[in-house]
Amino acid sequence: MIQYIIRRLLAAIPTLLVISFVIFAILDLAPSDPTGNLPMTVPSEVREKIRTSLGLDQPMHIRYYKWLVQFVVNEPLNILQHSFGVTVGDAENRTRILSWATRSPVIDLIVERTPQTLWVVGLSFLFGILIAIPIGIVQAYRQYSLFDQIGTFVAMLGFSVPTFFTGVVAIIVFSVQLKWFPMIYDTTLEITSWNNFVLQVKQMIMPVTVLAFYQASQLSRFMRAAILDNLNLDYVRTARSKGRSESAVLMIHVLRNSLIPIVTLIALGIPTIFGGAIITEQIFRVNGLGQLLIIAIEGADIPTVQTLTFLFAILIVLFNLIADVLYGMLDPRIRYD
Amino acid sequence: MNTQTTSIDPAVIDTEHRSMWTDVWRQFRKHKGALVGVFVFAFIVIAVFVGPPIHGVDPNAIDFRARNLGPEWAHPLGTDNIGHDTLAQMLAGGQVSLAVGLSAALIALILGTLIGVLAGFVKSLDGPLMRLTDVFLSLPLLPLLLVSIMLFRDTLRAAFGPETGIFLLIVGLIGVTSWMHTARIVRGDVLSIKEREFVTAAYSIGTRRYRIVFRHILPNILSPIMVSATLGIANAIITESALSFLGLGFPPDFPTWGRLLYDGTNFIQITPSRVIWPGVFIALTVLSVNYIGDGLRDALDPRLRGR
């Protein structure tokens, strides 16, 4: 197994290199100029200086190499230094990826905004899982019952209606009409008292519910299918014939086997927490990673966009690997050697 | 002359010619959701393309005396903040949304089938093409779509005009980034079908390779291709409206349902209907297409058909 993980990690390196180059090249070859938004009165020699200060006078492959070294070597070393106090090499002269818009290190911006994303989107992912699993179990156990039919329809609805519509409808109903929850997510709110805690919960209810509903509708379909696949297998009949109670058959024998594909699906879904948050954060004005990306795109802040996009790509590749490894660990029929 | 037809005995009628497609249609009719989906989707398509001449209002006509109106006889769905007729805009937006969905799904379908067949049929291409698919699956697509639209919008606008340029850009980008699942499914099916006896038989009588692909392999993998094409339409419509919702899709004077929804969100306190209508139509279209896909999957599965 360890051999397999190492082999996969090594195989991920060229994939990530290709992806990083694609991301860098798309942004770099595009006909856009960071000095394009400056006033017309700025003379061309000043523009040239600005371009030099941004490092744009160097050829592309050198800038790609520099960016990659900053991303892969310098920034991890910085994180190591800040979190554990371990200093490796020359910490003073280490160059960092700087945002063109704020002139501050991109990683700092990302670290600043990650908690909001994790709280809102991560929590909804968790709730989605917790809702989807029991619903899927009951649906499969009572296949073609009224509950199953309603559940299938609601799942189809949740799967088809985009979150930017359910979210806006939730705002119309619960903020504009009923005035129960605030329309805009206030990230400056600090939880210092019970009142502030209630406010925080109130402003989280809508985004979390909307996203959780979307996640649950996708997962419950898979959960139902996974249980149905297992219900008619021989081992279930064996468990019943040796006199185990129906609940034990379902909750111990069937559930454990059905969860194998679900666990991998969940692992594959985790990177979408970060990428898919873009739309939800835009609806409810949560200033998380998704909003950072949108702002950076609109402001043509190329280094921020490159770094964020590559970070998303790393997460996808990493969780693909984790999903495969989990599958091998949970299902003894699969051996990777 | 007619005496002959009346004298045919019932056993002969039973063995009338039943093609695969009549069987598929029989099974498809049994799926109520899919049938409703076909009617809803047909209704939306007809309304969007036949509606504008009947309604007869220019979607871009501005009337400042009729701002933020509720539903009334002249404006059945009301008007927006500068007096555009919402129904006319909905119909015009629907044309673009559906056109984007259908053409992007078509591009993804052609690319996916081409890459899947090549990978499954040509052994030396299998490795590289599947690695390419893996790389595409690992790309964070929404961020890349947003970035590419921002970067290439102006160039394409200058080259093809403001409307065609952005249409080509969005359709092309969605198509190029959503072929991977089709390619994987097609490759798997091609791999299993090309080892069957009838393919060997075709080889043995000297059939050329491209004829084997077109006559023997493609017809046999038609059902997964059709299902993923249907689901691709739903996916493309959602992606386009998500892009427009983030402000990086179609411009406001060339609206789609997603763009109308995005423009409406700033006025949800005054005219919530401006958000509701586009959203309902996006949802209905995607829901009906998904149901059609579901029904097709059941109807095209020979293990389920005929039961």
Side-chain angles (χ1 to χ4, degrees):
Chain A
M1 181 54 95
I2 289 170
Q3 220 186 0
Y4 172 76
I5 295 174
I6 293 169
R7 212 169 56 223
R8 280 290 303 264
L9 277 174
L10 288 178
I13 292 172
T15 313
L16 282 173
L17 274 176
V18 171
I19 291 172
S20 73
F21 186 74
V22 168
I23 292 170
F24 192 88
I26 287 180
L27 282 157
D28 209 76
L29 296 176
S32 84
D33 182 9
T35 61
N37 290 335
L38 292 175
M40 298 288 278
T41 48
V42 176
S44 59
E45 55 267 33
V46 178
R47 280 175 199 266
E48 215 37 61
K49 271 188 185 161
I50 293 174
R51 292 176 63 84
T52 316
S53 78
L54 294 173
L56 280 173
D57 52 338
Q58 288 154 328
M60 179 180 158
H61 60 272
I62 293 188
R63 276 179 291 130
Y64 172 64
Y65 173 74
K66 277 189 169 173
W67 173 72
L68 205 62
V69 167
Q70 286 169 348
F71 190 97
V72 183
V73 182
N74 293 3
E75 294 296 349
L77 287 178
N78 266 328
I79 292 169
L80 204 67
Q81 191 182 346
H82 283 291
S83 349
F84 305 106
V86 185
T87 315
V88 183
D90 185 6
E92 296 300 313
N93 295 324
R94 217 179 275 147
T95 54
R96 306 188 66 182
I97 308 171
L98 294 180
S99 154
W100 285 352
T102 61
R103 306 298 286 150
S104 60
V106 174
I107 301 292
D108 291 359
L109 292 176
I110 293 175
V111 169
E112 221 169 69
R113 280 164 179 267
T114 310
Q116 286 90 295
T117 297
L118 275 184
W119 267 111
V120 175
V121 191
L123 212 58
S124 59
F125 198 68
L126 196 70
F127 281 141
I129 296 168
L130 292 179
I131 301 167
I133 289 178
I135 288 181
I137 296 172
V138 177
Q139 271 189 299
Y141 194 67
R142 306 210 177 283
Q143 198 189 1
Y144 302 129
S145 69
L146 188 66
F147 183 85
D148 181 30
Q149 283 172 2
I150 293 174
T152 309
F153 179 71
V154 172
M156 202 65 161
L157 207 66
F159 184 73
S160 305
V161 182
T163 48
F164 52 82
F165 181 49
T166 35
V168 173
V169 169
I171 289 180
I172 292 178
V173 175
F174 296 109
S175 309
V176 178
Q177 303 287 334
L178 297 171
K179 298 197 174 14
W180 285 357
F181 309 119
M183 247 169 97
I184 291 171
Y185 189 94
D186 176 13
T187 23
T188 56
L189 190 73
E190 279 180 34
I191 302 171
T192 46
S193 63
W194 175 251
N195 273 347
N196 278 353
F197 177 72
V198 172
L199 276 179
Q200 175 69 21
V201 171
K202 265 187 159 180
Q203 69 178 359
M204 278 177 76
I205 286 179
M206 278 203 306
V208 169
T209 315
V210 165
L211 253 190
F213 176 56
Y214 182 70
Q215 301 280 8
S217 59
Q218 282 182 312
L219 261 183
S220 70
R221 279 161 64 101
F222 288 114
M223 189 69 216
R224 175 178 179 272
I227 298 253
L228 280 178
D229 279 348
N230 278 282
L231 265 181
N232 292 323
L233 292 185
D234 289 341
Y235 75 86
V236 180
R237 196 178 306 127
T238 311
R240 282 189 178 132
S241 66
K242 73 182 185 187
R244 295 218 71 171
S245 68
E246 200 55 27
S247 64
V249 170
L250 190 65
M251 300 310 285
I252 296 172
H253 295 262
V254 176
L255 184 61
R256 279 182 59 174
N257 283 291
S258 314
L259 277 179
I260 297 171
I262 302 301
V263 168
T264 39
L265 269 177
I266 291 170
L268 287 176
I270 288 176
T272 60
I273 290 183
F274 298 93
I278 297 168
I279 292 167
T280 322
E281 289 182 359
Q282 201 65 16
I283 307 168
F284 295 100
R285 310 281 145 90
V286 183
N287 66 342
L289 292 176
Q291 209 193 33
L292 178 67
L293 183 76
I294 297 285
I295 293 172
I297 288 175
E298 281 170 355
D301 185 358
I302 307 281
T304 310
V305 179
Q306 280 166 340
T307 310
L308 262 178
T309 318
F310 189 41
L311 211 59
F312 290 149
I314 292 178
L315 284 173
I316 296 175
V317 172
L318 188 70
F319 277 95
N320 266 325
L321 172 65
I322 291 177
D324 281 357
V325 171
L326 271 178
Y327 208 85
M329 271 158 50
L330 294 172
D331 193 339
R333 286 168 299 186
I334 291 172
R335 281 281 161 262
Y336 288 125
D337 308 318
Chain B
M1 283 221 356
N2 279 344
T3 48
Q4 266 192 328
T5 47
T6 48
S7 66
I8 290 173
D9 74 60
V12 181
I13 295 172
D14 255 16
T15 56
E16 79 180 289
H17 177 66
R18 274 172 65 181
S19 78
M20 178 192 151
W21 294 109
T22 46
D23 275 7
V24 166
W25 172 238
R26 260 169 223 211
Q27 181 67 30
F28 188 79
R29 272 187 319 195
K30 285 188 195 153
H31 196 301
K32 290 215 178 56
L35 215 56
V36 174
V38 168
F39 282 117
V40 172
F41 190 65
F43 170 76
I44 291 174
V45 171
I46 291 169
V48 154
F49 286 98
V50 180
I54 297 173
H55 184 51
V57 177
D58 179 10
N60 287 322
I62 294 170
D63 181 3
F64 281 106
R65 282 164 302 176
R67 280 185 297 166
N68 296 329
L69 291 178
E72 56 176 52
W73 185 243
H75 305 287
L77 300 182
T79 57
D80 71 0
N81 58 314
I82 48 173
H84 288 136
D85 179 70
T86 305
L87 178 61
Q89 285 211 306
M90 282 292 303
L91 295 174
Q95 288 183 1
V96 185
S97 281
L98 288 177
V100 168
L102 292 171
S103 21
L106 190 70
I107 293 179
L109 177 75
I110 293 172
L111 267 178
T113 312
L114 184 74
I115 292 176
V117 167
L118 280 178
F121 201 70
V122 186
K123 216 168 205 166
S124 58
L125 287 177
D126 191 15
L129 283 178
M130 281 301 108
R131 292 248 53 100
L132 181 76
T133 316
D134 287 346
V135 168
F136 262 84
L137 281 171
S138 310
L139 288 174
L141 292 180
L142 192 57
L144 276 184
L145 282 176
L146 293 171
V147 169
S148 326
I149 288 170
M150 181 209 48
L151 294 173
F152 297 102
R153 193 165 45 183
D154 297 330
T155 325
L156 274 164
R157 260 193 207 156
F160 298 100
E163 292 174 1
T164 327
I166 198 87
F167 183 85
L168 288 179
L169 178 65
I170 288 182
V171 164
L173 280 174
I174 296 178
V176 167
T177 51
S178 47
W179 51 268
M180 292 83 78
H181 291 286
T182 316
R184 279 193 164 178
I185 296 168
V186 167
R187 170 185 172 264
D189 282 4
V190 170
L191 279 180
S192 78
I193 281 172
K194 75 169 183 184
E195 303 300 332
R196 299 269 186 86
E197 284 84 357
F198 67 87
V199 178
T200 320
Y203 270 124
S204 72
I205 57 169
T207 316
R208 293 212 177 87
R209 279 161 74 88
Y210 74 90
R211 264 189 84 74
I212 287 188
V213 170
F214 283 103
R215 294 280 301 182
H216 300 280
I217 290 182
L218 273 182
N220 279 297
I221 54 169
L222 208 57
S223 43
I225 293 178
M226 278 176 64
V227 173
S228 66
T230 334
L231 300 179
I233 296 173
N235 173 49
I237 290 176
I238 287 206
T239 311
E240 181 276 315
S241 32
L243 294 174
S244 293
F245 181 79
L246 293 170
L248 282 158
F250 284 85
D253 52 344
F254 185 46
T256 63
W257 286 335
R259 180 75 208 196
L260 290 171
L261 184 76
Y262 171 67
D263 290 338
T265 47
N266 292 326
F267 298 91
I268 45 175
Q269 310 224 15
I270 311 167
T271 45
S273 64
R274 278 182 65 187
V275 175
I276 304 289
W277 285 116
V280 164
F281 272 86
I282 295 171
L284 270 182
T285 312
V286 174
L287 195 63
S288 60
V289 169
N290 276 342
Y291 264 112
I292 294 171
D294 230 32
L296 268 182
R297 190 184 350 234
D298 288 358
L300 289 168
D301 189 342
R303 281 166 301 181
L304 290 172
R305 198 164 63 225
R307 264 209 256 154

